[in-house]
Amino acid sequence: MARKDFEEIAETFEFLDDWEERYRHVIELGKAMDPLDDAFKVPATKVDGCASQVWILPRIEGEGPSATFDFHGDSDAIIVRGLIAVLHALYGGLSVREVGEVDASAELGRLGLQDHLSSQRSNGLRAMVGRIRDLAAEKAAA
């Protein structure tokens, strides 16, 4: 069920020889993102459970389960910005119903992230996935 953008990341990972190159690619993805305006870096958008500062600002168009889910995110850690970019490629543009159907563990597992992130970063990644899923679920139920 992965989106085209995420498939492109997965394909790029297949061509990169080692984890250091993959790590640099994730960082480049993060650098390519526009920063989140400081006005949106507030407690309501902050993701709990991350070692770094992380903010996710949802942008949802439409109503009910077919509403389109998107978000803008940012972090004070460049690798985490890259992870946000990966999550955006995975979830951005799906309906709020589809967000809940994505097996994030399996999709992210294709990238091998769990084998190369510290336990704190892995916990933070799970927290970001949880926050995205919760935001979409709230809208799907409305």
Side-chain angles (χ1 to χ4, degrees):
M1 168 160 187
R3 293 183 52 244
K4 182 180 179 233
D5 293 348
F6 185 81
E7 287 301 329
E8 289 175 4
I9 293 171
E11 288 173 13
T12 300
F13 267 51
E14 289 176 17
F15 289 111
L16 297 175
D17 290 332
D18 62 24
W19 179 249
E20 286 185 29
E21 290 178 348
R22 292 174 180 180
Y23 196 80
R24 279 193 293 275
H25 183 64
V26 170
I27 289 171
E28 289 304 315
L29 291 171
K31 286 180 178 179
M33 288 185 354
D34 290 331
L36 184 64
D37 189 290
D38 285 343
F40 296 113
K41 294 179 180 178
V42 296
T45 61
K46 190 166 185 303
V47 178
D48 294 324
C50 297
S52 304
Q53 299 285 322
V54 177
W55 301 271
I56 293 179
L57 177 67
R59 295 183 294 198
I60 301 172
E61 294 184 19
E63 295 297 324
S66 62
T68 302
F69 181 82
D70 200 1
F71 70 93
H72 190 74
D74 205 348
S75 176
D76 61 350
I78 192 65
I79 187 63
V80 178
R81 280 181 56 90
L83 295 174
I84 293 167
V86 169
L87 292 176
H88 188 267
L90 183 61
Y91 289 111
L94 296 178
S95 72
V96 292
R97 178 186 41 77
E98 290 170 326
V99 167
E101 295 171 357
V102 172
D103 184 346
S105 180
E107 294 296 341
L108 295 171
R110 294 172 48 206
L111 304 181
L113 293 173
Q114 70 282 359
D115 298 330
H116 299 282
L117 294 176
S118 69
S119 61
Q120 283 185 319
R121 291 276 186 252
S122 292
N123 288 340
L125 184 58
R126 281 190 293 277
M128 288 186 282
V129 167
R131 178 79 171 135
I132 288 167
R133 292 174 61 91
D134 289 349
L135 290 166
E138 288 171 15
K139 187 64 176 183

